[in-house]
Amino acid sequence: MLHQQIKDGIKDAMKSKDEIRLTVLRGLVTDFTNELVAKMRKPTEMLSDDDAMTVIKRAAKRRKDSIEQFMKGNRKDLADSEESELKIIDTFIPAMMGKDEIRTFVLTKKQELGITDKTKVGQLIGTVMKDLKNKADGNLVKEVVEESFS
């Protein structure tokens, strides 16, 4: 399980005295605990891999937003720090599908559902996103679906 893997990573980071990795992993475990509490579950429980991946992606998005803001504010030092944390977080996120893979999936799903009318774009996007959860970027899926009606 991803949650347990990250908890175990804290011990390894402590042994290797990797401060940045230790900070990031502790932060993720805290985010996991907050997610459990938000879902009215015991903080000692483990998150499912899907829920853990959602939390990890949220943490990655926060880092990306911070990097963008620090670059706008000419704070390269802080942006570099966030960048190094993002690299560690990215090691837990599986590679996303490419545009060509998504296009193939979308065309297959479109034919499978018999969607030919552009008014059903939202339905197709919803179905594809449900099937490709944690495998494809939502903005890319939306772009590919809209292109398929052009």
Side-chain angles (χ1 to χ4, degrees), residues 7-149:
K7 276 186 153 185
D8 294 342
I10 290 176
K11 295 172 195 163
D12 296 337
M14 288 171 112
K15 288 177 185 174
S16 64
K17 294 182 174 31
D18 186 346
E19 291 299 320
I20 295 172
R21 187 170 186 75
L22 180 61
T23 303
V24 170
L25 296 179
R26 281 182 173 161
L28 286 174
V29 169
T30 301
D31 290 345
F32 291 159
T33 304
N34 291 340
E35 185 75 8
L36 285 165
V37 170
K39 291 185 176 224
M40 305 294 181
R41 292 170 53 196
K42 294 178 184 168
T44 53
E45 290 182 39
M46 289 287 181
L47 280 176
S48 69
D49 282 351
D50 277 347
D51 288 341
M53 187 55 64
T54 301
V55 172
I56 291 169
K57 284 184 175 184
R58 199 178 306 141
K61 185 176 184 328
R62 265 196 324 261
R63 298 307 187 296
K64 289 175 186 171
D65 291 344
S66 295
I67 291 167
E68 186 180 317
Q69 293 302 316
F70 288 141
M71 292 306 274
K72 283 181 184 174
N74 292 324
R75 293 297 310 264
K76 181 143 175 50
D77 55 326
L78 295 174
D80 290 343
S81 170
E82 293 286 324
E83 187 83 41
S84 60
E85 289 182 11
L86 180 60
K87 285 180 186 168
I88 293 168
I89 292 171
D90 280 343
T91 62
F92 296 104
I93 300 174
M96 294 295 196
M97 290 173 72
K99 195 170 185 175
D100 291 336
E101 290 175 288
I102 295 171
R103 186 175 293 115
T104 305
F105 187 85
V106 164
L107 294 175
T108 305
K109 188 56 79 173
K110 188 175 168 185
Q111 195 171 26
E112 189 180 298
L113 297 172
I115 295 176
T116 54
D117 190 5
K118 194 169 183 165
T119 59
K120 304 233 177 182
V121 134
Q123 179 186 354
L124 182 59
I125 290 174
T127 305
V128 171
M129 282 308 299
K130 186 177 171 191
D131 292 346
L132 299 182
K133 186 177 182 192
N134 294 329
K135 295 178 188 168
D137 177 50
N139 292 329
L140 195 55
V141 168
K142 182 176 184 243
E143 181 183 319
V144 169
V145 168
E146 287 173 351
E147 284 174 6
S148 75
F149 285 100

